[in-house]
Structure formats: C-alpha cells, structure tokens
Amino acid sequence: MRPMRLDMAGFTVFRDETTIDFTDADFFALVGPTGSGKSTVLDAICFALYGTVPRWGGTRGLANALAPSATEARVRLVFESGGSRYVATRVVRRDGRGNVKTANAGLQLMPAGFDVTKLDTGLSPDDLGEVVAGTPAEMEQAVLEAVGLPYEQFTSCVVLPQGQFADFLHAKPATRQQILVNLLGLGVYEEVQKKATARAAQAEAKLEAVDQALAGLTDVDDAALATATGQVDRMRELVGAVAAAVPELAAAREAAREAGAALAALDADLAVLSAVRAPDGVAEVARAVASARAGADEAATAVSLAEEREEKLRGELAAAGDESAMRLLLRAYTDREKLAGEAETVRAAVGTAEGEHAAAVTALTQARAAAERAEAELEAAFRAHEEAKATDQAVALRAHLRDGATCPVCEQTVARVPAVPADSAVAAATAAGRAARAATKAAQAVVAERDAAARELERVLVRARARQDQLDARLAELDGQLAGAAEPAVLRRELDDHARLRRALEESAAAVRAGREAARRARAAVDAAEERLRATWRAFDAARDGLARFGPPAADRDDLGAAWAALTGWAGAEAERRRAERAGRAAAVAEAEAVAAGVGERIAGIFAAAGLPATDDPVRAADRALERAEGDLRELERRREQAGGLREQRAGYEHEAQVARALAGHLRANNFERWLLAEALDLLVDGASGILRELSGGQYDLVHDKGEFFVVDHHDAGLRRGVRTLSGGETFQASLALALALSEQLAGMSTTAASLESIVLDEGFGTLDAATLDTVAATLESLAARGDRMVGVVTHVPALAERIPVRYEVSKDARSARVERTGR
C-alpha cells in the first residue's frame, strides 16, 4: 500500500480542509514541533482505511476524530496497492444528543490513468470510480482485499512503532516470546485451543441434552407397541358393535318420538278448543253503532242552519260599501287638517327667515366697509413709518453737524443745527402701525363671522321655502282626493255599521266552526262504534279460522251474539271428546320410551366393557376412541423413531466432543507453542540478518542462541557479541532490520496478497547523539535507496529532517493545524 493523496477536514487538530500530496514523495519526513499534528497525519491514513487509530484504543475512541467543537470530520485517502489505485473515504458526525457515529464510509476503485492532482481540495462525494464498498460494514473486507493486511498487521508493517522493536531486541527471552506471540499473531493458536474447548463443551452439552431427551422417551419398547396395537383392535371392535346397535336405538327413539308427537298434537288441540271464549259486551256493540249514527245526523242539521245564516251576513256586509275606501277618506281629512296647520307655521318661518337674512346682508355690507377703512388706515400707517425712518435718519445726521458746517446731504452750509427731538419718529409710527394692523385683523374677523351668518341664514331660508312648496303641493293633492267625498260624520256612521255586521259574521262563523267540530266528533263516534263492531266480527272470524281444521259450524252474520254462542258451544263439545282419547295416547308414549331406554342401556354396557363412559352420541364417541387409540399408536411409533435418531445424534456428538477435547489438549501443550515460536524466530532472524547486512554495509549478521540475540561483526574477524554492546546507531539498524523482517513475515501470514509498498517510522529521534543520528540518517537513506518501498519518518529533529529530500512541515495555530511541503 502506497499513499498518494490525503484530504482532511474537521479531523482532530486539522479543523480546516487540508491536502497532503504524496505522489512523488519516495523518501519524506513529517516535521514540526511536538504536538503540532505530525502523528495525526498517520492517524488519518489508518482511520480512512480501518476506521480507528492505535492510540485511540479501538472504536470507542471515535469521538477523538472530531476537531474541538466540530460536528463533522471527513477523511479521504487515495492510495495504490498491487498496481491498482483506490480512494477510501470516511465521515464522522455528532448528532443532536452528542453521540458520535460513522455517517458514511466507502472504498472506490479509480479508473486507470486518473490524475490524482486534478482532484479538488474539498471532500465532495463525487463519483471517483467503481464502488467497492459503500457502508462501514462492507469496508473491513474490501480494505483487507485491497491492502492485503488486517488492521493489526497494517500497524506493524506499514506504520511501525519503532520503540517496541528496540524493546524486542533487548528483551529477556520470556518477554520476547510474548512480544513475538503478540506481533506475529501466534495467539491465534490459543484462540483455536479456546474454540476447541468451547466446541467440546458445546458437543458435551448437546450430548447431555440428547441423553435427557432419551430419558424422557420411556415406554417405547416392543411391549408398549404391542399394547397400543391391541388397544386399536379393541376400539375397532367397539366401533363395530356400536354401529350394529345404534340403528335399533334410533328406531326405538323414533317410535317414542312419534307417540310423543301424537300426544302433543292432542294436547295442542285441547288447548286451542278450550281457549275459545266470546268477548265481553258483544250485545252492546250493535246498539252503540245505532246511537252514534243518530247523533251524527243531528250535528249535520245544525251545521247546515249555521252556514245559511253566515252566508246571509256576508251578503249584507258586501252591500254596505268598501270599508277600506272609507277609512282612506277619513285618514285624508285628518292629514289635510294637520298639513294646513303646519303650512301656516312654515309660512311664518319663511317670513322671519327673510327678515333675518336681509339684516345679515346689511350687517355684512357694513363690516366689509369697515374692513376696507381699516386696511386704508394700515396703508397710511405703513407710509408714515417710512417717512418716520427718513426723519430719524436725518435726526441721526444732526449729531455729527455743527453750526456753520456743510450738510453731507445737500452740501450747503448749516447756519444753525436744529435741536434733536427727544422721541423717535419711527417708534411712534411703529406703534401706530401695530394699532392699525390689529384693527384690520379685527375688521376682517367681523367680516368672516357675518359672512358665515349670512350664508347660514340663506340656507335656512332655502330649506323653509322648499318645505312650504312641499306642503302646498300635498294640500292640493288632498283637496283633489276629497272632492265630492261624504262628510266625516257620515263616513264614521257607515264604518260603525260595517263593524256591527262584521261582529255578527264572526259570531256566525264561530257557530259554523263549532257545529262542524261537533259533527266531526259525531262522525268519529260512529266510526269508532262501527270499528268496534268490525273488530268483534274479526275476533270471531279469527277464532273460527283457528278452528278450521276441526270443521266448525256455519255462522249467522246478522246476529253477532248468536254466532259467538254457537261457536263456543261446539268448541266445548269437541274438547270433551278429545279428553277421552288422551289416556290411551299417554300409555303408548310410556311403552315406546321404555323400549328406547332398554336399547340405550345395552349400548352403555358395550362402552363399560371397553372401559369408556357412555355418551349421548355413541357413534361419535366410538370413532373418537378409535382415533385416540390410533393416534397413540402413531405417537408411539414417532417416539420410537425419534429415539433412534437421538441415539445416532448421541454417537455423533460423543465423537465430536472427543475430537475437540483431543485438539484442545494438543494445543494446550507448551512444546507446540515453543516449536512455533522457535520456527518463527529462526525465520525472523534469518530475514533480519540479510537486511542488517545490507543496512550496515556488510559489517553485521544477526543470530540467536537460546532466545538471546547476537551480532557477528565481520569487520572484527567474525567476532560474535551481544546486541547490548551495539552503539545507538547500530541498535537502530538492528531494530529496523527486525522490524522489516517481521513486517514481511506478517505479510506472509496474511490471508490475502499483501503489497508492502511503503513504511513509515513514527519514532522520536531527539535522544540520539550526533554520531548515532548520522548513522540513523544513513540507514534510512540506504533503506530508501533500495527503491522497493516509500519511506517516511515522523520527527522534530532538524538535523535528521534536513537530510531527507521531501519534507512536510506541520504547524498549528489556535484554530487549525496546517501542512506545507518543502524540499525537492
């Protein structure tokens, strides 16, 4: 895996959008002060691929991805692996409740030849190629297939914690063994041992469950099978016996039912015949009808007489004249009298208004003349004021003149200068002007007031004249309407006659209505009496129809009482005859029921012999007993088959438990783990020795003996000495060789084809002396010169950074960290 470009926004210290281009950085350094964010760059690479960072402590530290107060963090990594180019993106957001979750994660395979430098600086989700993974759940397998390393091996092969390998170089054999187990993942065998133990426990639990199930499957032997088969045979015999006896029982019950039905029919006839009774008051029904009809005839005669009188009064009222017209004429006389009085009042008001209006016009003319005089006086005051100013100016010149001096105005000699007046002429003229202006305003106010009064009196006069014209026109109209009309006294007498006739008509109409109501009640009484008569006949007909099957005698339709008497007498005789037949029919019922009871007892005995209770439906009970017996037999056969299957499962679980226990026992042995560690250590030391020989210019080989590391110094006649005798720079070379060898072994252990195209050492070099630092720098240069990997270093040591061709300077201010590329 080789990083090509890294984009971050809102990620830990990188609040602002930040882009790092690794395209041609074969050998680079991330430099900057401690805490500036150098290691965060590597964290972003790990986070984009795997969604976590070593120093976060797993996915529980997801909130660490967000910059302070940020609600979203975005990381995008473009990388090459195995000749293909990918882009991995992860987005983390904080929701409204403060929970931080992965909002988006994806891996895309970029098209061949895509120019990474043409990507925008943002983190937009534009399509960058084929989507390999689109959810966080799909990312793990997709990244494993693309990179070839799981998270734990990636952080040991690509991003190397160098200090741990220095500890590995100097550790005691037991400690080194544990480190090797952790780094090489040999703990997988312990996991296999645990899983084998768990598998054995599961198999044994299943074995115990099968044993418990078998313990519950009792009574499934051949004897139980024979018993169940015999029970089925007995129930089949029961079904046959019941099937033979049931028809006899049915015939006996049918005979008892028919005898009971005949007795019930006889009792029903007796009940019907005994219930025949004549209604109360049959004789009075016909007399009530005749009385009601006579009353109705009398009421009809009274209504006719009342209607004749009403019609006569209506004719007299029509001949008396039009009452409405007479009332209109009376109202016209009254209206004319009122209007005549109002007309006199209005004429007087018009005369008064004309006099007041003339006086107001005269007063307005006088006020306007006074205003004109005031304005003339004001104009004269203005002219006097101008003359006063000229006089005051001349007086002012006197103050500068002397007797015998030349006048500056007329240029003549002044023999004697006149005395200066004590008062100013302008002041007096000004006072006179103010008085004239006040008089003018007062005169104008009087003109406005009298003009308004004259206008208002004119409007009053116009309205009074208009009202006088309306009244004169209405009086003329009324005079025309009353021309030739009768006098008011005559009209009032005629209206009184109308009122008398109307009262008489209303009394007659009331009498008609009362008569009609009495006639209606009489007709209702007739209808009620006739309905009662019809109802009595209907009751008779219903009673006779109910006895039709017995053949009742014919009825006399002219005499209701005689008809009812004949019917009740006949019904009593028929009932008596049937009472005599009842005893024989009751005896037949008892005999038939006794026969049916005997057959039922015989069937009950059949059930008792089979050990079953008797029921009302013996056929169904027998069938159910047979079904239960057959069901018990089928259940027994199923349980026998289930027991056989459980025995087969038990043998399989027993074998599985034995194999798992044996595997767990083998993996629990220390010799197996020691053998694996020894083989891994041999391979590790052999690979590290070749790398160390190349890094040290052929001076050193690395060997081990009984768990201890040694170096063979070819510059000192092949002297073998402990690794603790190496200098700081030589120790770094040996540790780096072990790291590279171990990373290659880890890649070999990966389940996919790993592509180790880069390595980044996140290691502090500040404690090294100048000579050792020079050796470390030379070692890194030699490693970069091999050309098989991109080499990156995280350091804040300037002396080391200056020897690295490409540098990414990381800085941080109060808001965000920044990255700037320097060097070649």
Side-chain angles (χ1 to χ4, degrees), residues 331-499:
R331 187 178 298 110
Y333 276 117
T334 303
D335 292 345
R336 189 185 185 290
E337 184 178 355
K338 291 180 180 179
L339 289 176
E342 184 180 354
E344 290 300 324
T345 302
V346 170
R347 288 190 186 92
V350 168
T352 301
E354 288 175 346
E356 292 177 351
H357 180 261
V361 170
T362 301
L364 176 60
T365 302
Q366 294 173 352
R368 285 175 176 168
E372 290 176 356
R373 289 193 298 273
E375 288 177 356
E377 292 175 358
L378 178 60
E379 182 65 26
F382 283 154
R383 289 194 300 272
H385 183 267
E386 292 299 321
E387 294 174 356
K389 286 196 295 184
T391 301
D392 280 357
Q393 289 174 356
V395 169
L397 291 176
R398 294 180 189 177
H400 303 286
L401 291 179
R402 299 292 182 268
D403 293 340
T406 302
C407 177
V409 177
C410 61
E411 296 181 353
Q412 295 182 9
T413 302
V414 179
R416 184 181 60 84
V417 177
V420 177
D423 297 326
S424 171
V426 172
T430 301
R434 289 196 186 98
R437 185 179 289 107
T440 300
K441 289 182 178 180
Q444 290 174 347
V446 171
V447 169
E449 179 182 355
R450 292 182 178 178
D451 182 62
R455 291 177 184 275
E456 179 60 26
L457 289 173
E458 184 178 3
R459 286 192 291 271
V460 170
L461 179 60
V462 169
R463 288 196 296 269
R465 287 172 177 170
R467 179 58 180 163
Q468 181 179 353
D469 293 341
Q470 292 175 352
L471 291 173
D472 291 342
R474 178 59 179 156
L475 285 172
E477 180 182 351
L478 289 174
D479 289 341
Q481 182 178 351
L482 295 173
E487 293 298 324
V490 176
L491 291 174
R492 290 189 182 93
R493 284 195 300 272
E494 291 178 353
L495 285 174
D496 290 340
D497 291 340
H498 263 277

Side-chain angles (χ1 to χ4, degrees), residues 473-530:
R474 178 59 179 156
L475 285 172
E477 180 182 351
L478 289 174
D479 289 341
Q481 182 178 351
L482 295 173
E487 293 298 324
V490 176
L491 291 174
R492 290 189 182 93
R493 284 195 300 272
E494 291 178 353
L495 285 174
D496 290 340
D497 291 340
H498 263 277
R500 179 181 54 78
L501 289 173
R502 186 172 298 281
R503 284 193 300 272
L505 179 61
E506 289 175 355
E507 292 174 356
S508 178
V512 170
R513 288 194 296 272
R516 287 174 180 173
E517 178 60 23
R520 186 191 63 76
R521 288 195 298 270
R523 285 195 300 272
V526 171
D527 293 339
E530 291 177 347

Side-chain angles (χ1 to χ4, degrees), residues 73-125:
R74 292 174 173 262
V75 178
R76 182 176 66 189
L77 174 67
V78 181
F79 64 93
E80 287 184 350
S81 182
S84 298
R85 188 169 292 176
Y86 300 86
V87 55
T89 305
R90 285 189 189 266
V91 180
V92 173
R93 292 194 183 99
R94 178 184 287 111
D95 60 21
R97 293 179 293 181
N99 299 321
V100 179
K101 297 180 181 179
T102 300
N104 183 32
L107 182 68
Q108 294 170 271
L109 176 62
M110 302 179 73
F114 188 91
D115 189 356
V116 177
T117 61
K118 292 183 178 180
L119 285 175
D120 60 15
T121 58
L123 298 174
S124 61

Side-chain angles (χ1 to χ4, degrees), residues 2 74 126 168 195 197 215 217 261-262 269 360 391 498 554 577 592 594 611 667 676 686 697 756:
R2 180 188 180 100
R74 292 174 173 262
D126 295 338
F168 180 79
K195 290 183 178 179
T197 302
L217 293 175
D269 291 346
T391 301
H498 263 277
R577 183 175 62 80
L667 292 179
L676 287 176
D686 184 61
L756 300 178

